[in-house]
Amino acid sequence: MNDMVLQKLESGLLTITMNRPERKNALNPEMVAGLVEAARRAADDPEVRAVLFKGAGGSFCVGGDVKSMAAGRAPLPFEVKMANLRRGMEVSRILHQMPKPVVAQLDGAAAGAGLSMALSCDLRVASESCKITTAFAKVGFSGDYGGTYFLTQLLGSARARELYLMSPVLTAKEAHAIGMVTKVVPDAEIDAAAHELALSLAQGPSIALGFIKRNINNAEHLALEDCFDGEAIHHTRCSDTEDHKEAAKAFVEKRKPSFRGA
């Protein structure tokens, strides 16, 4: 297993940890390959019901390893560089599209491609001291890993232009105020808060949560009637699940349901 990307599956929750703490989890080719592998495992493994995506050493991810980029290695042809980048960007697509909820734990810094990957997740829990920035313009790049797409969908094009063209560094509370971050907690509580939220999703009605995620993704590009059709199909399928039957029974019995993801 790639030691730059750690994976731990427990109680239906797969924790994916970027593990280059000495570089604040900056992305290099080995880490990117490990992230794509872990994301595919999360999507395909029926034992995985939710994902917690985090970084080791008190930082999420500062983006690409700019120091390595500037090391003067022999230049690759345009087509090879583009293919390599596009292959790595699959991690964002998989996290965004897979029918399982994904929580990003943001502490330290989330910048550049690191922020892009965080934006591909469903929910983001940030520590109070976390710094958040697109960063690309400051290093002469236009953006990658889906950040322009996710930020535009999340906040609208006017705010996305501001955050990409001007590249301000936001505090966690500022990011929360504009809707980039789901929740902000004290630094000492970030591990527990992010894990608790992700675990609650892993113990939820997995089929229904997957369809909820698909409905919202559909709303990003489908017409209203098509979204109506999707909701009707998914709602009807949920009505035949054991989780729905358990929820209905628990409602009548005035107790908390116990979901099995079936």
Side-chain angles (χ1 to χ4, degrees):
M1 184 176 289
N2 189 326
D3 62 4
M4 291 187 185
V5 178
L6 308 179
Q7 301 181 47
K8 180 182 179 182
L9 178 59
E10 187 175 10
S11 301
L13 176 63
L14 179 66
T15 299
I16 299 173
T17 305
M18 293 174 281
N19 189 37
R20 291 187 76 204
E22 73 285 356
R23 299 290 300 137
K24 295 186 178 180
N25 302 313
L27 299 172
N28 66 4
E30 293 76 19
M31 178 182 280
V32 168
L35 287 174
V36 174
E37 176 190 354
R40 286 186 176 139
R41 183 260 179 106
D44 296 340
D45 188 343
E47 297 298 314
V48 176
R49 297 173 61 181
V51 175
L52 175 60
F53 186 30
K54 60 187 290 189
S59 190
F60 181 68
C61 175
V62 295
D65 194 336
V66 178
K67 184 177 181 179
S68 175
M69 295 175 194
R73 294 175 298 179
L76 296 172
F78 174 85
E79 292 78 7
V80 174
K81 288 195 292 185
M82 181 176 171
N84 289 343
L85 178 59
R86 185 63 184 83
R87 189 160 47 244
M89 288 166 64
E90 281 294 283
V91 61
S92 293
R93 183 191 65 78
I94 296 168
L95 293 175
H96 182 66
Q97 292 184 345
M98 69 178 182
K100 301 171 185 182
V102 184
V103 175
Q105 176 182 320
L106 308 185
D107 42 3
L115 176 58
S116 298
M117 292 188 296
L119 293 170
S120 77
C121 301
D122 300 297
L123 302 171
R124 286 157 292 282
V125 180
S127 63
E128 285 181 334
S129 67
C130 185
K131 303 301 182 183
I132 297 170
T133 180
T134 59
F136 290 107
K138 293 182 178 178
V139 293
F141 280 130
S142 56
D144 56 23
Y145 281 72
T148 53
Y149 173 86
F150 298 123
L151 201 55
T152 301
Q153 292 289 343
L154 188 64
L155 303 180
S157 62
R159 184 70 78 173
R161 291 174 200 274
E162 174 188 337
L163 295 175
Y164 266 85
L165 294 173
M166 299 171 63
S167 197
V169 177
L170 304 179
T171 66
K173 289 183 178 178
E174 288 171 335
H176 180 261
I178 63 174
M180 287 179 72
V181 167
T182 310
K183 183 179 182 181
V184 178
V185 300
D187 291 2
E189 299 175 15
I190 182 63
D191 286 317
H195 185 269
E196 180 181 1
L197 175 58
L199 186 61
S200 72
L201 293 169
Q203 295 175 346
S206 299
I207 295 173
L209 295 181
F211 283 144
I212 288 171
K213 184 168 177 176
R214 186 176 299 178
N215 288 341
I216 294 171
N217 286 348
N218 284 345
E220 294 175 345
H221 62 91
L222 294 183
L224 178 61
E225 290 297 323
D226 294 325
C227 288
F228 277 7
D229 288 343
E231 285 188 345
I233 291 169
H234 300 150
H235 184 94
T236 303
R237 286 179 176 170
C238 285
S239 68
D240 293 327
T241 64
E242 293 302 317
D243 279 345
H244 166 69
K245 295 172 185 176
E246 161 62 11
K249 184 178 180 182
F251 179 81
V252 172
E253 297 174 354
K254 294 182 172 55
R255 60 173 175 81
K256 184 177 179 180
S258 177
F259 296 117
R260 297 188 297 108

